[in-house]
Amino acid sequence: MVLLAAAVCTKGGKALVSRQFVEMTKARIEGLLAAFPKLMSTGRQHTFMETESVRYVYQPLDLLYMLLITTKASNILEDLETLRLFSRVVPEYCRSLDESDISDNAFNLIFAFDEIVALGYRESVNLAQIRTFVEMDSHEEKVFRAVRETQEREAKTRMKEKAKELQRKRYEEMKRGGGKGGVGGGYGSSSSSMGSYGGNSGGFSTPAAISDSVPAHAPPEPRASKVPVGGRAMKLGSRAKDVDSFVDALKSEGERISSAAVDDKRTVEQVSDVHTEPIHVLVCEDLTVSAGRDGGLRNLEVQGILKLRISSADHGFIRVQVDNQEERGIQLQTHPNVDRELWRACSQVGMKQSNKPFPVNTDVGVVKWRFQTTDDGHIPLTINCWPQEDGSGNCDVNIEYTLEDTSLELNNVSITVPLCSGAPPPLVRNCDGTNEHDRSHSALVWNIPLLDASTPSGTLDFTARGTPDTFFPVSVSFTSTKTFCNLKVRPCLYLPSSGDICVKVGGVVSISDESAVNYSTETLLRTISYQIN
């Protein structure tokens, strides 16, 4: 057989897709296709027609026709067999079999047609082989990608090992240069991070392993002596001013800077700017939430840690009374150097070896806890995002937040809604709070400075280009000075004793005489990942 052309056309002869397998002009193929509906007559039982020069072999596809144009000398049985294969290929790539679907998948159809016929002659292929050839699935490409991913993972592993080595060297140099003695045996340099709840190597955390986002209260360093050097010297301590200057420069150039990142940085600075005693207690929790767009909670995980920072060697021999009023089932774990029996008996944190003090000038993680659930009743903040198409390519989006746990006070709440890349800015109709269009990340950022029991809910209404799936996942970030789990250090109290004398009872006591010791405390709840998808 010699197949001249294969086409998908309408009943009026309009060609939607046409592929010529022999050399012919555009005018000739258009004339052959235009003559096809004129040659058809009603009442015919067969699906082919002949003219003086060509043969039409066709098969109806709903409102369209799959049409083959062959020479009159070709074998009609082979023509019909080829037509059946063409008719099976078209629905493989076009589900609705209308004009718009055919036009959208025109290139896939042409590639498939080329696999069936070459230079006018049919190839010995089936539908599965055609599908594989069109997909162009390459085993070599898969191997190359796997090797590349392996190399990237190895490079990241080497990078982490190198970073740990540099941190270890920096800490050793700091100890040799100006570190105080007294950090005796039993305190190794193992890393203690918020996200890890596995076994420890027996030592407290080193300063180099403390996360930058957790406020650290280092003692004031001695001022360096002034060296008279001509010209300008490098100025230390002006990083915040440099960042503000850079942001101002971007704004002057017309860029709109989202205030979420700037506010988050300022929030951490404000939280860490508290009065600290020689004994400082830090209670920090990381919150991870994954919820569905239908309102159901998929996973909620809280990881918390209680840290001590003692800035004076005279206050190293202490015990800390922890007030655990959490009724939910949380998993608690103490540091290996903490007396576990004392903790189980009266929830006190003390050294296992009472003749050894707590490390000085180091953030020491002494107690960790973890809580995980899929119960909807534990989610602190619910987000209801309701996009609805308006029929013109846009969506009317209504978002509502509700503070479910009214005991919390959320600061610097930021709700980020993704938008279509390259689309015009959204039209905001109603907003409780402030909003910004982040063009660089194609997102709408909704900011609420404070969210508490007095303002437990709010709404945002806007119109933007896209489909309902465009506006997910919705990301939320916030901080709070109240923890999710009800676990804290017992505050100092003055209880009446004999006569008019009041006895001071505190959460931190000295081992020597059981007297209460002044201390400062700091609490921080922050979101690691909070998404609605």
Side-chain angles (χ1 to χ4, degrees):
M1 64 172 289
V2 177
L3 184 61
L4 302 179
V8 179
C9 62
T10 63
K11 291 184 177 181
K14 175 185 175 182
L16 303 179
V17 175
S18 178
R19 180 60 171 163
Q20 292 72 248
F21 303 105
V22 296
E23 185 177 355
M24 65 172 59
T25 62
K26 180 180 178 181
R28 174 164 171 75
I29 187 62
E30 289 179 345
L32 292 174
L33 293 175
F36 166 67
K38 300 176 183 179
L39 298 174
M40 294 184 63
S41 59
T42 59
R44 301 185 57 153
Q45 299 296 325
H46 50 78
T47 57
F48 70 93
M49 298 176 298
E50 293 185 355
T51 64
E52 295 180 357
S53 57
V54 297
R55 176 186 294 151
Y56 296 95
V57 185
Y58 61 93
Q59 179 173 331
L61 297 175
D62 292 343
L63 300 178
L64 307 176
Y65 281 105
M66 181 67 234
L67 176 64
L68 302 184
I69 303 177
T70 68
T71 60
K72 294 182 64 175
S74 66
N75 190 329
I76 185 63
L77 297 178
E78 292 183 2
D79 294 345
L80 294 175
E81 182 67 24
T82 305
L83 177 63
R84 281 193 290 270
L85 183 56
F86 272 96
S87 300
R88 292 174 60 194
V89 165
V90 174
E92 181 73 19
Y93 298 98
C94 304
R95 302 300 180 185
S96 58
L97 294 179
D98 54 10
E99 294 188 21
S100 61
D101 200 10
I102 296 293
S103 301
D104 292 340
N105 297 276
F107 284 101
N108 288 331
L109 291 176
I110 291 175
F111 295 152
F113 290 173
D114 286 344
E115 299 297 337
I116 300 175
V117 177
L119 299 177
Y121 294 93
R122 161 130 184 233
E123 297 287 340
S124 180
V125 293
N126 54 34
L127 185 60
Q129 292 174 327
I130 295 172
R131 189 185 303 114
T132 302
F133 295 155
V134 172
E135 289 177 356
M136 294 182 290
D137 191 12
S138 173
H139 176 70
E140 289 77 6
E141 183 180 2
K142 289 182 177 179
V143 171
F144 172 76
R145 290 182 177 178
V147 171
R148 184 176 180 180
E149 291 176 356
T150 302
Q151 292 175 347
E152 290 179 353
R153 286 195 298 268
E154 292 177 353
K156 290 180 180 179
T157 303
R158 288 195 299 268
M159 179 182 65
K160 292 180 180 179
E161 293 176 353
K162 188 65 175 178
K164 290 180 180 179
E165 182 181 355
L166 293 175
Q167 288 178 352
R168 185 169 58 252
K169 290 181 179 180
R170 190 181 300 113
Y171 179 58
E172 292 175 354
E173 291 176 358
M174 183 181 65
K175 288 174 62 179
R176 288 195 301 267
K180 293 184 179 180
V183 185
Y187 300 105
S189 59
S190 62
S191 174
S192 173
S193 63
M194 289 285 297
S196 173
Y197 283 83
N200 296 323
S201 60
F204 285 122
S205 304
T206 64
I210 303 299
S211 175
D212 293 339
S213 57
V214 178
H217 304 278
E221 298 180 358
R223 294 185 177 179
S225 60
K226 297 183 179 179
V227 180
V229 180
R232 284 194 173 186
M234 182 176 63
K235 185 179 181 181
L236 301 178
S238 61
R239 181 174 179 271
K241 295 181 180 179
D242 293 341
V243 173
D244 294 338
S245 301
F246 178 68
V247 171
D248 294 338
L250 289 179
K251 289 183 178 180
S252 65
E253 294 176 1
E255 291 287 342
R256 296 190 63 183
I257 307 301
S258 174
S259 62
V262 179
D263 291 343
D264 183 67
K265 179 179 180 298
R266 293 175 179 173
T267 300
V268 174
E269 292 177 353
Q270 292 173 359
V271 170
S272 61
D273 187 16
V274 296
H275 173 70
T276 59
E277 297 287 343
I279 301 174
H280 185 73
V281 181
L282 171 64
V283 180
C284 187
E285 285 185 341
D286 289 343
L287 177 63
T288 302
V289 174
S290 175
R293 62 183 69 180
D294 57 350
L297 178 63
R298 297 174 182 172
N299 183 51
L300 182 147
E301 184 177 6
V302 179
Q303 294 184 351
I305 188 170
L306 188 148
K307 293 185 179 183
L308 296 178
R309 183 171 185 86
I310 302 172
S311 58
S312 174
D314 299 334
H315 297 83
F317 294 93
I318 59 171
R319 290 177 182 170
V320 180
Q321 180 66 52
V322 178
D323 191 5
N324 183 8
Q325 298 181 1
E326 180 58 54
E327 298 179 353
R328 291 169 288 202
I330 63 174
Q331 302 174 8
L332 287 166
Q333 182 182 8
T334 58
H335 194 278
N337 287 339
V338 170
D339 191 346
R340 188 171 300 176
E341 298 301 327
L342 179 64
W343 168 260
R344 291 177 178 175
C346 54
S347 297
Q348 280 191 356
V349 176
M351 290 296 298
K352 182 182 297 183
Q353 299 179 4
S354 58
N355 59 341
K356 289 188 177 181
F358 282 98
V360 181
N361 296 328
T362 302
D363 286 333
V364 179
V366 291
V367 180
K368 291 180 180 180
W369 60 93
R370 179 174 180 267
F371 174 70
Q372 187 172 13
T373 183
T374 56
D375 187 0
D376 297 345
H378 295 292
I379 187 169
L381 179 67
T382 57
I383 305 294
N384 184 12
C385 182
W386 196 283
Q388 185 174 2
E389 293 181 296
D390 61 0
S392 61
N394 297 329
C395 277
D396 295 329
V397 184
N398 307 101
I399 304 179
E400 180 184 15
Y401 68 80
T402 304
L403 181 63
E404 303 293 343
D405 189 353
T406 55
S407 64
L408 293 176
E409 293 182 359
L410 309 183
N411 301 314
N412 299 316
V413 181
S414 178
I415 303 174
T416 304
V417 184
L419 303 173
C420 270
S421 178
L427 176 61
V428 179
R429 298 186 300 273
N430 179 35
C431 178
D432 294 334
T434 61
N435 65 87
E436 294 185 49
H437 178 214
D438 188 354
R439 291 182 299 175
S440 59
H441 297 89
S442 299
L444 180 63
V445 183
W446 182 15
N447 298 315
I448 303 98
L450 177 63
L451 202 161
D452 55 10
S454 62
T455 56
S457 63
T459 58
L460 171 67
D461 301 334
F462 66 92
T463 302
R465 185 174 300 278
T467 62
D469 291 335
T470 303
F471 308 100
F472 291 95
V474 179
S475 301
V476 185
S477 65
F478 56 81
T479 60
S480 178
T481 56
K482 294 185 179 181
T483 56
F484 183 87
C485 299
N486 193 1
L487 190 144
K488 58 184 177 180
V489 177
R490 181 174 298 174
C492 292
L493 299 175
Y494 289 90
L495 301 180
S497 182
S498 60
D500 297 333
I501 301 176
C502 293
V503 179
K504 183 179 179 182
V505 179
V508 179
V509 297
S510 174
I511 296 178
S512 59
D513 54 2
E514 297 294 332
S515 62
V517 182
N518 291 333
Y519 70 95
S520 57
T521 183
E522 185 178 353
T523 306
L524 175 64
L525 170 65
R526 60 188 179 181
T527 54
I528 299 300
S529 175
Y530 202 118
Q531 287 193 344
I532 294 87
N533 194 359

Coordinates of all heavy atoms in Angstrom, one line a residue, residues 7-17 36 40 58-67 87 90-91 94 96-103 109:
A7 N -5.6 12.2 8.1 CA -6.1 13.4 8.6 C -7.3 13.1 9.6 O -8.0 12.1 9.4 CB -6.6 14.3 7.5
V8 N -7.5 14.1 10.5 CA -8.7 14.1 11.4 C -9.4 15.4 10.9 O -8.9 16.5 11.1 CB -8.3 14.1 12.9 CG1 -9.6 14.2 13.7 CG2 -7.5 12.9 13.3
C9 N -10.6 15.2 10.4 CA -11.4 16.3 9.9 C -12.8 16.3 10.4 O -13.3 15.3 10.9 CB -11.3 16.3 8.3 SG -12.1 14.9 7.6
T10 N -13.5 17.4 10.2 CA -14.9 17.5 10.5 C -15.8 17.0 9.4 O -15.3 16.6 8.3 CB -15.3 19.0 10.8 OG1 -15.1 19.8 9.6 CG2 -14.4 19.6 11.9
K11 N -17.1 17.0 9.7 CA -18.0 16.5 8.6 C -18.1 17.4 7.4 O -18.5 17.0 6.4 CB -19.4 16.3 9.2 CG -19.4 15.1 10.2 CD -20.8 14.9 10.7 CE -20.9 13.6 11.6 NZ -22.3 13.4 12.1
G12 N -17.6 18.7 7.7 CA -17.6 19.6 6.6 C -16.3 19.6 5.8 O -16.2 20.4 4.9
G13 N -15.4 18.8 6.1 CA -14.1 18.7 5.4 C -13.0 19.6 6.0 O -12.0 19.7 5.4
K14 N -13.3 20.2 7.1 CA -12.2 21.1 7.7 C -11.2 20.2 8.4 O -11.5 19.4 9.2 CB -12.9 22.0 8.7 CG -11.9 22.9 9.5 CD -12.5 23.7 10.6 CE -11.5 24.5 11.4 NZ -12.2 25.2 12.5
A15 N -9.9 20.4 8.0 CA -8.8 19.6 8.5 C -8.4 20.1 9.9 O -8.0 21.3 10.0 CB -7.7 19.5 7.6
L16 N -8.5 19.3 10.9 CA -7.9 19.6 12.2 C -6.5 19.2 12.4 O -5.7 20.0 12.9 CB -8.8 19.0 13.3 CG -10.3 19.3 13.3 CD1 -11.0 18.6 14.4 CD2 -10.5 20.8 13.4
V17 N -6.1 18.0 11.9 CA -4.8 17.5 11.9 C -4.6 16.8 10.6 O -5.4 15.9 10.3 CB -4.5 16.6 13.1 CG1 -3.1 16.0 13.0 CG2 -4.6 17.4 14.4
F36 N -13.9 15.5 0.1 CA -14.3 14.3 0.8 C -15.8 14.4 1.2 O -16.5 13.4 0.9 CB -13.4 14.1 2.0 CG -13.9 13.1 2.9 CD1 -14.0 11.7 2.6 CD2 -14.4 13.5 4.2 CE1 -14.6 10.8 3.5 CE2 -14.9 12.6 5.1 CZ -15.0 11.2 4.8
M40 N -19.4 11.8 -0.2 CA -20.2 10.9 0.6 C -21.7 11.0 0.3 O -22.2 12.0 -0.1 CB -20.0 11.3 2.1 CG -18.6 11.1 2.6 SD -18.5 11.5 4.4 CE -19.6 10.3 5.0
Y58 N -12.3 5.9 5.6 CA -12.6 6.7 6.7 C -13.4 5.9 7.8 O -13.9 4.8 7.5 CB -13.5 7.9 6.2 CG -14.8 7.6 5.6 CD1 -15.9 7.5 6.4 CD2 -14.9 7.3 4.2 CE1 -17.1 7.2 5.8 CE2 -16.1 7.0 3.6 CZ -17.2 6.9 4.4 OH -18.4 6.5 3.8
Q59 N -13.4 6.5 8.9 CA -14.2 5.9 10.1 C -14.7 7.1 10.9 O -13.9 8.0 11.3 CB -13.3 5.0 10.9 CG -14.1 4.4 12.1 CD -13.2 3.3 12.8 OE1 -12.4 2.6 12.2 NE2 -13.5 3.1 14.1
P60 N -16.0 7.1 11.3 CA -16.5 8.2 12.1 C -15.9 8.1 13.6 O -15.8 7.0 14.1 CB -18.0 7.9 12.1 CG -18.3 7.0 11.0 CD -17.0 6.2 10.8
L61 N -15.6 9.3 14.1 CA -15.2 9.4 15.5 C -16.1 10.5 16.1 O -15.8 11.7 16.2 CB -13.7 9.9 15.6 CG -12.7 8.9 15.1 CD1 -11.3 9.6 15.1 CD2 -12.7 7.6 15.8
D62 N -17.3 10.1 16.6 CA -18.3 11.0 17.1 C -18.7 12.0 16.0 O -19.3 11.7 15.0 CB -17.8 11.7 18.4 CG -17.7 10.7 19.5 OD1 -18.3 9.6 19.4 OD2 -17.0 11.0 20.5
L63 N -18.3 13.3 16.2 CA -18.6 14.3 15.2 C -17.5 14.5 14.2 O -17.6 15.5 13.4 CB -18.9 15.6 15.9 CG -20.1 15.6 16.9 CD1 -20.3 17.0 17.6 CD2 -21.4 15.2 16.2
L64 N -16.4 13.7 14.3 CA -15.3 13.9 13.4 C -15.1 12.6 12.5 O -15.8 11.6 12.7 CB -14.0 14.2 14.2 CG -14.1 15.3 15.2 CD1 -12.8 15.4 16.0 CD2 -14.4 16.6 14.5
Y65 N -14.1 12.7 11.7 CA -13.8 11.6 10.8 C -12.3 11.3 10.9 O -11.5 12.3 10.9 CB -14.2 11.8 9.3 CG -15.7 11.6 9.1 CD1 -16.5 12.7 8.9 CD2 -16.2 10.3 9.0 CE1 -17.8 12.5 8.6 CE2 -17.6 10.1 8.7 CZ -18.4 11.2 8.5 OH -19.7 11.1 8.3
M66 N -11.9 10.0 11.0 CA -10.5 9.6 10.8 C -10.4 9.2 9.3 O -11.0 8.2 8.9 CB -10.2 8.5 11.7 CG -8.7 8.0 11.6 SD -7.5 9.2 12.2 CE -6.5 9.3 10.7
L67 N -9.6 10.0 8.6 CA -9.6 9.8 7.1 C -8.2 9.4 6.7 O -7.2 10.1 7.0 CB -10.0 11.1 6.4 CG -10.0 11.1 4.9 CD1 -10.9 10.1 4.3 CD2 -10.3 12.6 4.4
S87 N -7.6 4.8 14.3 CA -8.8 5.1 15.1 C -8.6 4.8 16.5 O -9.2 5.4 17.4 CB -10.0 4.3 14.5 OG -10.2 4.7 13.2
V90 N -6.1 7.9 18.1 CA -6.7 9.2 18.4 C -7.3 9.3 19.8 O -7.0 10.2 20.5 CB -7.7 9.6 17.3 CG1 -8.4 10.9 17.6 CG2 -7.0 9.7 15.9
P91 N -8.1 8.3 20.2 CA -8.7 8.4 21.6 C -7.6 8.2 22.7 O -7.9 8.6 23.8 CB -9.7 7.3 21.6 CG -10.0 6.9 20.2 CD -8.8 7.2 19.5
C94 N -6.6 12.0 22.9 CA -7.7 12.9 23.0 C -8.9 12.2 23.6 O -9.5 11.3 23.0 CB -8.1 13.4 21.6 SG -6.7 14.2 20.7
S96 N -11.9 13.7 24.8 CA -13.3 14.2 24.5 C -13.6 14.1 23.0 O -14.8 14.2 22.6 CB -13.4 15.6 25.0 OG -12.5 16.5 24.3
L97 N -12.6 14.0 22.1 CA -12.8 13.9 20.7 C -13.6 15.1 20.1 O -14.6 14.9 19.3 CB -13.5 12.6 20.3 CG -12.7 11.3 20.6 CD1 -13.5 10.1 20.2 CD2 -11.4 11.3 19.8
D98 N -13.2 16.3 20.5 CA -13.8 17.5 19.9 C -12.7 18.3 19.3 O -11.5 17.9 19.4 CB -14.6 18.3 21.0 CG -13.7 18.7 22.2 OD1 -12.5 18.4 22.1 OD2 -14.3 19.2 23.2
E99 N -13.1 19.4 18.6 CA -12.1 20.2 17.9 C -11.0 20.7 18.8 O -9.8 20.7 18.4 CB -12.8 21.3 17.1 CG -13.8 20.8 16.0 CD -14.3 21.9 15.2 OE1 -13.7 23.0 15.2 OE2 -15.3 21.7 14.5
S100 N -11.4 21.3 19.9 CA -10.4 21.9 20.8 C -9.4 20.9 21.4 O -8.2 21.1 21.5 CB -11.1 22.6 22.0 OG -11.9 21.7 22.7
D101 N -9.9 19.7 21.7 CA -9.0 18.6 22.2 C -8.1 18.1 21.2 O -6.9 17.9 21.4 CB -9.9 17.5 22.8 CG -9.1 16.6 23.7 OD1 -8.0 17.0 24.1 OD2 -9.6 15.5 24.1
I102 N -8.6 18.0 19.9 CA -7.7 17.6 18.8 C -6.6 18.6 18.6 O -5.4 18.3 18.4 CB -8.5 17.4 17.5 CG1 -9.5 16.2 17.7 CG2 -7.6 17.1 16.3 CD1 -8.9 14.8 17.9
S103 N -7.0 19.9 18.6 CA -6.0 21.0 18.4 C -4.9 21.0 19.5 O -3.8 21.2 19.3 CB -6.7 22.3 18.3 OG -7.6 22.3 17.2
L109 N -0.5 13.6 18.2 CA -1.1 12.8 17.2 C -0.1 12.7 16.0 O 0.0 11.6 15.4 CB -2.4 13.5 16.7 CG -3.5 13.4 17.8 CD1 -4.8 14.2 17.3 CD2 -3.9 12.0 18.1

